């Protein structure tokens, strides 16, 4: 396969300017504090409304019907009835069936005011007078609110202040307490061992742990002691955390889950305090399982850092060591830890009595990948043409997380294409998308560049097809994908556990096929072979320095890759050989590469007619599968071309 060299591009990170805030869709009433604030505000608004209403009544009283006019109407005999309400409002009914409202001075009664205005008592006898007591409940409510609301606001503010102070005290007191996620009974994860595929040996080791927790008498009767700690080791994405969740789903005991980075704080002693608190809580719930993810965050080799013996991380590690196997070791707690860097762990963690058992979770083989694909395809509508076995073969090196992502990408592609099921085409497209990125059919490419890409990929494909120790071609395309202008996808028959010297040499020859084809046809070199040269150089150097496959340098390993942990893997690589051998290593790597390149040129010169025929069809179709490629190279089409 080939990654064409392209100038670097600036990548714009999405989701910073155009991304909506996660709080943008939340209601302001969702927060309890906001609810209290709105309640208090509503009470204040109601009190102000009542106050304004009272003021409007007072204004209305000031602009009432004049009492002297009412007195004149009574003297003229036009008034038939007067109804007094609440000592202030007069409802006046006239003989012509009209009604008016008059407001009087509430400090004196109706008759006194009329006599003052010159109305005789005999005249008032002709007017029907009624008195109705006023409804004082709104005024009483207003007076009550006016006295109670300020008190409630003051009490609420005092309560908030006391609560904030109490929260600060609780935080200060709980600074050294751990915060593990606890799963027990129905709250534990619903993942079981049936949902984990491709790691049968690891499941067997962990099944013993679950069985011991459920039936400890069966082991104690024979004098067996359960392992105190299980260390799960493997590359990222191989399912270490998923396996721990399966243990939680299988075991009927409390399950404490915490990350190694959660122990460490900026203050010395906090991590050790959290470790003690975690184990005390686990002992109270024993039998129990404690899962520590990414334990290398606190379990690094002591003395390798710059903090000395009083470093916070080292104190945390010391406390973990004491809790796992100290004087008080009669606890029924099992610790499961996960890491992808076992080489940097402190030896005290790995000794018997602490992490007694090491469970290796490596990338799955063909059978494991097939089972993992079946697990992640469960519940998804697969088309009849989906060949899970073929997918497992072309996904060599994929982890469980990669395979899950592959199935999810295939489902997304099917949904975008408005299909009712997931077909093999979508699975293949998703696999290539995961490995190399999406297709770039919109990329503008000149016919000359397209022809060069076709010759480059044809050179790779012919060598993969003709060499004895390489994998057969599964697909060849000149459609740009990711940073690659085109690529050849070989299909291995299985996972190679032991790689021979001959296979290394043939793979290097196949990697040189694109550059050799460019020199044969155009007598020039392009940047398209940059990734090919990197792969070939890496394989040749590994043959010489790691695997002892050089006759000149003999069966010896050069460079041990050790060194101080905190310096990093590349910087810390130690050279345990002299400058003389360094020069010999460079010369031997150069010899292997030049020999492979010459082999590639010689084989392509012999197959030049087939290469040109393959390029002609490849330019026309752009993509060829395995059957079409073999028919062109070995079938009737090739014979006719010759």
């Amino acid at each position: 396969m080939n990654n064409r060299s392209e100038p670097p591009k600036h990548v714009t990170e999405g989701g910073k300017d155009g991304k909506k805030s996660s709080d943008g869709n939340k209601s302001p009433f969702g927060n309890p504090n906001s609810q209290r604030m709105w309640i208090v505000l509503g009470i204040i608004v109601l009190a102000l409304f009542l106050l304004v209403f009272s003021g409007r009544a007072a204004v209305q009283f000031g602009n009432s019907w004049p009492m002297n006019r009412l007195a004149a109407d009574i003297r003229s005999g036009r008034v038939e009835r007067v109804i007094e309400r609440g000592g202030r409002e007069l409802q006046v009914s006239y003989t012509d069936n009209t009604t008016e409202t008059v407001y009087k001075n509430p400090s004196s009664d109706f008759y006194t005011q009329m006599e003052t205005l010159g109305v005789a008592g005999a005249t008032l006898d002709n007017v029907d007078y009624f008195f109705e007591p006023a409804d004082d409940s709104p005024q009483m409510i207003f007076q009550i609110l006016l006295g109670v609301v300020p008190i409630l606001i003051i009490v609420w503010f005092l309560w908030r202040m006391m609560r904030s102070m109490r929260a600060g005290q609780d935080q200060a007191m709980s600074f050294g307490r751990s915060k593990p996620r606890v799963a027990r009974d129905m709250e534990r994860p619903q993942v079981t061992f049936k949902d984990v595929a491709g790691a049968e040996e690891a499941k067997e080791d962990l099944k013993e742990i679950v069985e011991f927790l459920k039936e400890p008498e069966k082991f104690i009767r024979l004098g067996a002691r359960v392992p105190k700690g299980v260390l799960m080791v493997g590359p990222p994405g191989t399912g270490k955390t998923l396996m721990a969740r399966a243990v939680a789903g299988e075991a009927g005991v409390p399950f404490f889950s915490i990350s190694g980075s959660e122990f460490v704080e900026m203050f010395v002693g906090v991590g050790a305090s959290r470790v003690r608190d975690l184990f005390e809580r686990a002992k109270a719930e024993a039998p129990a399982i404690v899962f520590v993810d990414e334990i290398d965050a606190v379990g690094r080799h002591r003395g390798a850092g710059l903090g000395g013996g009083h470093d916070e991380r080292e104190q945390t590690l010391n406390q973990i060591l004491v809790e796992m196997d100290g004087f008080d070791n009669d606890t029924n707690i099992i610790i499961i830890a996960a890491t992808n860097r076992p080489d940097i762990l402190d030896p005290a963690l790995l000794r018997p009595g602490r992490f007694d058992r090491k469970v290796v979770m490596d990338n799955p083989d063909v059978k494991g990948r097939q089972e993992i694909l079946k697990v992640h395809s469960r519940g998804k509508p697969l088309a009849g043409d989906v060949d899970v076995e073929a997918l497992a073969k072309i996904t060599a090196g994929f982890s469980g997380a990669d395979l899950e992502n592959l199935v999810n990408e295939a489902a997304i592609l099917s949904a975008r294409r408005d299909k009712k099921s997931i077909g093999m085409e979508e699975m293949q497209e998703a696999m290539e998308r995961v490995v190399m990125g999406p297709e770039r059919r919109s990329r503008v490419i000149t016919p000359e560049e397209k022809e060069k890409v076709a010759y480059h990929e044809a050179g790779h494909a012919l060598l993969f097809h003709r060499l004895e120790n390489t994998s057969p071609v599964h697909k060849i395309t000149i459609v740009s994908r990711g940073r690659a202008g085109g690529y050849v996808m070989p299909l291995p028959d299985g996972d190679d556990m032991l790689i021979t010297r001959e296979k290394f040499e043939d793979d290097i020859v196949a990697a040189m096929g694109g550059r050799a084809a460019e020199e044969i046809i155009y007598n020039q070199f392009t940047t398209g072979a940059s990734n090919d040269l990197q792969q070939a150089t890496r394989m040749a150097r590994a043959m010489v320095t790691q695997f002892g496959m050089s006759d000149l340098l003999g069966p010896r390993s050069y460079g041990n890759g050790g060194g101080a942990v905190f310096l990093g893997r590349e910087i810390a690589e130690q050279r345990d050989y002299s400058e003389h051998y360094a020069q010999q290593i460079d010369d031997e790597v150069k010899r292997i590469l030049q020999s492979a390149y010459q082999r590639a040129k010689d084989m392509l010169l012999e197959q030049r007619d087939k290469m040109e025929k393959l390029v002609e069809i490849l330019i026309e179709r752009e993509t060829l599968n395995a059957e079409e490629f073999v028919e062109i190279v070995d079938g009737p089409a090739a014979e006719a071309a010759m």
Side-chain angles (χ1 to χ4, degrees):
M1 288 188 284
N2 171 40
N3 287 347
R4 291 174 58 86
S5 176
E6 295 182 358
K9 299 179 177 62
H10 294 287
V11 179
T12 303
E13 294 184 1
K16 290 187 178 180
D17 297 329
K19 183 179 179 181
K20 293 183 179 180
S21 173
S22 60
D23 297 334
N25 298 326
K26 292 184 178 180
S27 172
F29 300 96
N31 191 346
N33 296 331
S34 299
Q35 292 178 356
R36 300 188 191 98
M37 181 186 69
W38 284 108
I39 291 173
V40 173
L41 184 61
I43 295 174
I44 296 174
V45 170
L46 179 60
L48 292 175
F49 173 77
L50 293 175
L51 182 61
V52 172
F53 179 80
S54 176
R56 288 184 61 188
V59 172
Q60 189 175 8
F61 173 75
N63 297 330
S64 64
W65 186 278
M67 290 291 292
N68 57 357
R69 183 173 177 178
L70 174 61
D73 291 340
I74 293 176
R75 284 194 297 265
S76 64
R78 295 179 55 216
V79 177
E80 179 182 1
R81 184 174 62 251
V82 175
I83 301 174
E84 183 176 350
R85 293 189 176 94
R88 186 178 63 177
E89 180 182 342
L90 300 177
Q91 189 74 30
V92 182
S93 299
Y94 290 86
T95 56
D96 57 356
N97 295 327
T98 60
T99 303
E100 295 292 343
T101 301
V102 180
Y103 293 94
K104 73 178 185 67
N105 188 355
S107 61
S108 62
D109 58 18
F110 170 72
Y111 288 98
T112 302
Q113 292 189 33
M114 289 297 102
E115 291 176 356
T116 304
L117 293 174
V119 180
T123 306
L124 290 175
D125 292 339
N126 297 325
V127 178
D128 296 331
Y129 175 76
F130 301 93
F131 180 82
E132 294 180 358
D135 184 11
D136 295 334
S137 50
Q139 187 70 18
M140 292 177 61
I141 293 175
F142 173 72
Q143 294 295 334
I144 293 173
L145 289 176
L146 195 62
V148 172
V149 168
I151 297 176
L152 292 177
I153 294 176
I154 294 173
V155 171
W156 180 74
F157 276 112
L158 291 175
W159 176 77
R160 291 288 300 169
M161 291 173 61
M162 294 296 295
R163 185 179 178 186
S164 300
M165 294 174 60
R166 186 169 59 252
Q169 293 175 357
D170 293 342
Q171 184 177 6
M173 296 300 295
S174 64
F175 193 72
R177 299 190 61 186
S178 63
K179 301 176 179 62
R181 293 161 291 278
V182 185
R184 56 167 63 87
D185 300 333
M186 297 303 294
E187 298 178 359
R188 65 178 182 269
Q190 300 302 313
V191 179
T192 62
F193 285 141
K194 295 181 180 179
D195 302 312
V196 182
E200 299 302 323
E201 295 80 4
K203 281 198 290 187
E204 290 299 325
D205 290 338
L206 294 174
K207 281 180 181 178
E208 294 181 5
I209 305 298
V210 175
E211 190 175 358
F212 180 86
L213 291 172
K214 290 183 176 180
E215 302 180 50
E217 296 82 7
K218 184 171 72 172
F219 295 87
I220 295 175
R221 187 168 55 249
L222 298 176
R225 178 179 60 84
V226 67
K228 290 189 176 181
V230 178
L231 182 64
M232 293 194 295
V233 179
T238 52
K240 299 183 292 296
T241 305
L242 180 65
M243 187 70 77
R245 293 175 59 196
V247 173
E250 292 282 346
V253 298
F255 185 87
F256 295 82
S257 175
I258 195 169
S259 173
S261 59
E262 296 182 40
F263 289 118
V264 182
E265 285 283 353
M266 62 179 295
F267 301 106
V268 176
V270 175
S273 175
R274 289 181 176 176
V275 171
R276 288 191 295 270
D277 179 70
L278 172 63
F279 277 87
E280 287 176 2
R281 296 178 61 181
K283 291 174 185 177
E285 299 282 350
I289 296 177
V290 176
F291 174 65
V292 183
D293 198 9
E294 303 296 344
I295 195 173
D296 52 273
V298 293
R300 287 174 175 260
H301 199 295
R302 288 172 293 181
L306 302 177
H310 295 284
D311 180 50
E312 162 68 358
R313 181 185 55 78
E314 293 193 1
Q315 285 199 16
T316 305
L317 174 59
N318 292 336
Q319 187 63 43
I320 293 176
L321 296 175
V322 172
E323 294 289 347
M324 290 189 68
D325 190 18
F327 285 102
D328 184 17
N329 55 9
D330 294 331
T331 58
N332 198 8
I333 299 174
I334 296 176
I335 304 174
I336 302 177
T339 180
N340 49 25
R341 295 292 308 276
D343 54 316
I344 65 175
L345 293 180
D346 193 274
L349 271 176
L350 305 178
R351 75 160 176 83
R354 292 198 173 110
F355 283 106
D356 304 273
R357 182 172 297 181
K358 182 184 294 184
V359 177
V360 178
M361 299 192 64
D362 209 343
N363 287 329
D365 55 9
V366 175
K367 183 179 179 182
R369 291 195 297 271
Q370 187 172 346
E371 296 298 325
I372 293 174
L373 287 171
K374 290 180 180 178
V375 169
H376 293 305
S377 301
R378 191 184 303 161
K380 294 181 175 62
L382 296 182
D385 62 340
V386 175
D387 189 352
V388 179
E389 184 178 356
L391 281 174
K393 288 183 178 180
I394 63 176
T395 52
F398 274 43
S399 64
D402 294 330
L403 295 173
E404 181 183 9
N405 189 30
L406 184 151
V407 177
N408 184 61
E409 287 288 342
I412 293 174
L413 284 173
S414 301
R416 288 172 55 187
R417 296 172 181 176
D418 295 328
K419 292 188 175 182
K420 301 298 183 182
S421 60
I422 304 173
M424 188 65 181
E425 181 182 356
E426 285 74 30
M427 288 287 193
Q428 175 81 23
E429 173 76 13
M431 189 275 295
E432 297 173 11
R433 179 187 290 262
V434 170
V435 175
M436 306 188 68
E439 281 189 352
R440 301 170 60 189
R441 291 186 176 272
S442 60
R443 179 185 179 189
V444 179
I445 183 172
T446 63
E448 293 78 11
E449 288 182 339
K450 188 174 184 179
E451 185 181 66
K452 288 183 179 180
V453 173
Y455 273 108
H456 188 105
E457 303 306 331
H460 284 303
L462 281 174
L463 293 181
F464 272 114
H465 184 67
R466 294 303 181 191
L467 290 169
E468 181 179 356
N469 298 292
T470 54
S471 302
V473 175
H474 175 68
K475 180 180 180 180
I476 175 174
T477 180
I478 57 173
V479 177
S480 177
R481 182 181 289 275
R483 297 192 62 186
Y487 58 93
V488 175
M489 181 181 296
L491 179 62
D493 296 329
D495 295 327
D496 296 324
M497 301 299 296
L498 298 175
I499 304 177
T500 63
R501 175 177 176 175
E502 289 74 19
K503 179 169 178 53
F504 270 123
E505 292 175 346
D506 286 356
D507 284 339
I508 295 174
V509 172
M512 294 290 189
R515 180 183 173 92
E518 293 175 1
E519 183 181 2
I520 291 173
I521 301 300
Y522 302 104
N523 196 25
Q524 63 179 0
F525 304 118
T526 67
T527 59
S530 61
N531 187 58
D532 300 331
L533 295 177
Q534 293 175 8
Q535 293 182 5
T537 304
R538 185 166 55 250
M539 286 187 286
R541 183 167 289 275
M543 289 175 61
V544 175
T545 60
Q546 297 180 29
F547 306 123
M549 295 181 179
S550 169
D551 295 332
L552 176 63
L553 295 170
R556 178 192 164 181
S557 175
Y558 294 87
N560 55 16
V565 174
F566 64 91
L567 290 178
R569 189 171 295 177
E570 296 295 333
I571 301 177
E573 183 177 1
Q574 294 182 353
R575 289 178 53 176
D576 55 356
Y577 49 89
S578 63
E579 291 295 332
H580 170 72
Y581 283 105
Q583 183 64 45
Q584 287 190 337
I585 290 173
D586 291 341
D587 293 341
E588 186 68 4
V589 170
K590 180 180 178 181
R591 184 194 64 79
I592 293 174
L593 295 176
Q594 288 183 337
S595 175
Y597 184 70
Q598 189 61 44
R599 282 183 61 194
K601 284 182 60 177
D602 294 341
M603 294 183 67
L604 290 179
L605 285 172
E606 296 177 0
Q607 305 285 326
R608 180 164 182 170
D609 294 339
K610 294 184 179 182
M611 180 173 63
E612 292 180 349
K613 180 62 177 178
L614 177 61
V615 168
E616 179 183 348
I617 299 177
L618 195 58
I619 293 175
E620 177 184 355
R621 302 185 189 177
E622 292 189 342
T623 301
L624 300 173
N625 57 30
E627 293 77 11
E628 294 170 339
F629 170 74
V630 173
E631 182 180 358
I632 293 171
V633 176
D634 295 337
E639 297 296 334
M642 297 177 62

